[in-house]
Amino acid sequence: MSLSTTDVRLVPLPQSQDVLTDVLRQGAQQLLAQAIEAEVADWIDQHRHCLDGHGRRQVVRNGHLPERTITTGVGPVEVKQPRVHDRRPPGERAPFASALLPPYLRKTTSVEELIPWLYLKGVSTGDFSEALAALLGPGAKGLSATTVTRLKGLCEKEYQDWSTRPLAGKHYVYVWADGVYFNIRLEGGRQCILVLLGATADGRKELLAIQDGQRESEQSWKELLLAAQARGLTLDPKLAIGDGALGFWKAVRQVWPEVRAQRCWVHKTANVLDKLPKSVQPKAKDLLHGIYLAPSRAAAEKAFDLFVRTYEAKYPKATECLAKDRQELLTFYDFPAEHWRHLRTTNAIESVFATVRLRTDRTKGTGTRVACLTMVFKLMESASRRWRALNGSPLLAEVIGGVVFVNGIKQEDAA
C-alpha cells in the first residue's frame, strides 16, 4: 500500500534529538499512514453496494480533512486524514468515525498506555511484539512476547496491590459511581466493572476503587463499599453522584446512611429523551438544560414544572422518568456553587471510558476478567494524571464542617 494517499509527515525537531528518536518517529509515521488508509478503504468497501440510480457509488473518498498535529511519545506528527463523502439521503447516511484517529485526539498514549490499549483490543500476547514494533519502528528493543507477558504480569500485580491498599486517614468529600460493561472474549458474557472516584478534602480527584460485579447489583456495590471500609475508609462522604442504577443507591443507604444523593443529569437527560420522539428531543433537551443550569433551586423548580406541564399529556413516560428523581436531581443546590459543574454529572468517569467503549465495541472484547480489570485500572490510572482539582477547593473544608449552603452560597453570606 502506498503511503502517499494518506498524508502523514513529521514536524522538524530540534537538533538535539538523537537518531533513535528519528527512527521511532519514522515507525510511527508509517504505521499511522497505513492504518488510517486501511481503515478508510475498508469503510468504503463495506458500502460498495450503496449505488445511485446510475450505478455510481454513494460512499466515496473526497480529499482530506484539515491537517492537524498529533503529539506522540516520540515527537509531533502532522496528519491529514482522508475524508469520506456519503451522498445517500440524510436518513440513510452512516457517518464515518475513525477508531484510530477520533476527532478530539491530539495526543497519542505513551508506550505504558499502549500495552493496555492493545490488550483491550484483543491483541494476543504473541502478536504484541509485531504490533509494538510497527508503532515504534525497527529500532525499538525488548518487545518480545516474553517481555510483554512479564509486563502484563507486573500490571496485574500492581492492580492487586492497589486494590488492597490501606485507606486509613482518607476522607473523600464527594464520590462518583458508575458501572462500565465489557465483553469477555475467552470466558463469555459481559463483565461489569464498578468504578468509584472520590474528591479528597483538598479537592484532588482520586480513583477510589475498581471491582467487577454481577451487573450493577446491590450486592456487588455493597461488597465494594464494605471492602473500602474494611481497608480504613471510616469517614463517610457528604455526597454521592451516580446514575439511576438502583443497586448502588440501595447499597449506599446501608453502608453510608447519612450520605446525600445526586443523580447524574447526563444519564437522566438521555433516559428522558429516549422516551420522546426525535422531532421533540431538541426542544426538550433545551428545557432540561434550563433546569440544571438555573441559578437557584427556585428557578430550577419552576423550569422543572414547565417541562412536566409541556410534555405530561402526550409523553407521560418521559415526565414520569424525570419527576421520580426530582429531589435527587436538585441536591447540588445545597453545596457550593463553585462545585456545581463537578456534582451534576458522572462525567469524571464517563469521559475516561468513552474511547474504551468505542474500541471494545468494535472488537470481540478482552480475553479474561482479570485482564479486563487490570487494563481498566491502567487506563484509569493514566487518565488520573490529567485530572484537575475541583473549582473552589478551599470550600470543601466548610462542606466537611457542616456549613449550610443555600443556592450555592453560605447561609451567612446569603443573609
Side-chain angles (χ1 to χ4, degrees):
M1 179 184 298
S2 171
L3 300 186
S4 60
T5 53
T6 298
D7 186 2
V8 181
R9 58 188 178 84
L10 304 181
V11 177
L13 284 179
Q15 294 298 318
S16 60
Q17 296 292 333
D18 57 23
V19 175
L20 177 59
T21 297
D22 291 334
V23 172
L24 297 182
R25 293 177 70 222
Q26 288 292 338
Q29 175 194 23
Q30 293 172 8
L31 175 70
L32 194 56
Q34 292 174 338
I36 296 173
E37 189 68 29
E39 186 182 31
V40 172
D42 182 65
W43 175 266
I44 293 175
D45 187 62
Q46 290 177 28
H47 294 80
R48 63 183 181 279
H49 62 281
C50 300
L51 306 174
D52 62 14
H54 301 285
R56 294 175 298 196
R57 288 194 176 190
Q58 295 286 77
V59 181
V60 297
R61 287 182 55 145
N62 182 26
H64 291 81
L65 294 172
E67 186 177 81
R68 56 190 167 123
T69 301
I70 305 296
T71 302
T72 73
V74 288
V77 175
E78 294 289 346
V79 179
K80 289 186 74 173
Q81 177 184 322
R83 177 187 284 113
V84 177
H85 182 40
D86 192 337
R87 297 181 291 204
R88 292 176 292 174
E92 300 176 15
R93 293 173 187 169
F96 171 75
S98 174
L100 298 171
L101 206 63
Y104 50 80
L105 181 66
R106 289 295 181 271
K107 181 184 295 184
T108 63
T109 55
S110 65
V111 176
E112 178 185 358
E113 296 173 64
L114 185 60
I115 297 296
W117 275 121
L118 292 177
Y119 216 82
L120 280 171
K121 283 183 69 66
V123 177
S124 66
T125 303
D127 294 332
F128 267 50
S129 180
E130 181 179 353
L132 290 171
L135 178 64
L136 299 179
K141 303 294 183 182
L143 298 177
S144 67
T146 301
T147 300
V148 173
T149 300
R150 186 183 305 114
L151 178 58
K152 184 173 74 74
L154 291 174
C155 290
E156 291 177 358
K157 184 179 185 305
E158 185 180 350
Y159 165 70
Q160 292 298 330
D161 292 343
W162 176 85
S163 63
T164 57
R165 74 197 186 286
L167 296 175
K170 285 286 188 179
H171 187 192
Y172 296 101
V173 186
Y174 305 134
V175 293
W176 294 263
D178 201 3
V180 186
Y181 290 85
F182 296 92
N183 292 324
I184 304 300
R185 180 163 41 89
L186 300 182
E187 298 175 3
R190 284 169 63 78
Q191 181 179 12
C192 180
I193 306 295
L194 307 179
V195 180
L196 199 63
L197 184 73
T200 62
D202 59 359
R204 290 180 296 108
K205 294 176 185 175
E206 288 185 0
L207 190 57
L208 202 166
I210 297 177
Q211 181 176 304
D212 60 345
Q214 182 62 36
R215 301 184 66 81
E216 294 184 68
S217 67
E218 173 188 349
Q219 181 61 31
S220 295
W221 277 113
K222 185 176 179 180
E223 290 174 3
L224 182 149
L225 298 179
L226 288 176
Q229 281 190 340
R231 289 187 282 128
L233 188 62
T234 57
L235 296 173
D236 295 353
K238 294 294 183 179
L239 180 70
I241 305 99
D243 62 11
L246 297 179
F248 171 70
W249 298 110
K250 289 180 179 179
V252 165
R253 283 192 287 271
Q254 297 175 55
V255 181
W256 296 331
E258 301 301 319
V259 172
R260 301 190 64 187
Q262 169 66 48
R263 291 293 174 87
C264 172
W265 269 100
V266 169
H267 285 89
K268 179 58 71 176
T269 298
N271 291 338
V272 171
L273 294 180
D274 189 52
K275 295 171 175 57
L276 294 169
K278 289 186 177 179
S279 60
V280 176
Q281 289 180 9
K283 175 62 176 178
K285 189 175 183 179
D286 288 341
L287 291 178
L288 290 171
H289 287 175
I291 300 173
Y292 66 81
L293 295 180
S296 67
R297 181 185 288 271
E301 295 278 9
K302 185 177 180 180
F304 206 112
D305 292 337
L306 174 61
F307 183 94
V308 173
R309 290 198 305 269
T310 301
Y311 296 110
E312 64 181 340
K314 285 190 174 182
Y315 312 108
K317 290 185 179 180
T319 55
E320 289 170 7
C321 177
L322 180 68
K324 68 184 180 71
D325 296 318
R326 182 170 187 141
Q327 295 305 315
E328 290 82 2
L329 286 166
L330 303 179
T331 306
F332 69 89
Y333 283 105
D334 297 333
F335 291 83
E338 290 85 348
H339 299 170
W340 288 358
R341 64 177 299 177
H342 305 288
L343 304 182
R344 289 185 290 228
T345 75
T346 57
N347 276 353
I349 297 175
E350 284 290 318
S351 59
V352 175
F353 284 104
T355 51
V356 178
R357 282 196 178 102
L358 175 63
R359 289 171 180 262
T360 54
D361 284 349
R362 293 173 179 243
T363 67
K364 296 180 181 179
T366 56
T368 66
R369 57 169 294 277
V370 174
C372 186
L373 275 168
T374 301
M375 296 308 111
V376 168
F377 162 67
K378 292 300 293 182
L379 292 171
M380 289 290 291
E381 181 186 52
S382 174
S384 69
R385 301 181 191 130
R386 298 183 289 273
W387 290 339
R388 63 181 184 83
L390 269 63
N391 295 341
S393 294
L395 293 171
L396 287 166
E398 297 182 337
V399 173
I400 295 172
V403 173
V404 176
F405 287 81
V406 176
N407 293 323
I409 302 174
K410 283 194 299 184
Q411 192 172 39
E412 58 190 59
D413 293 342

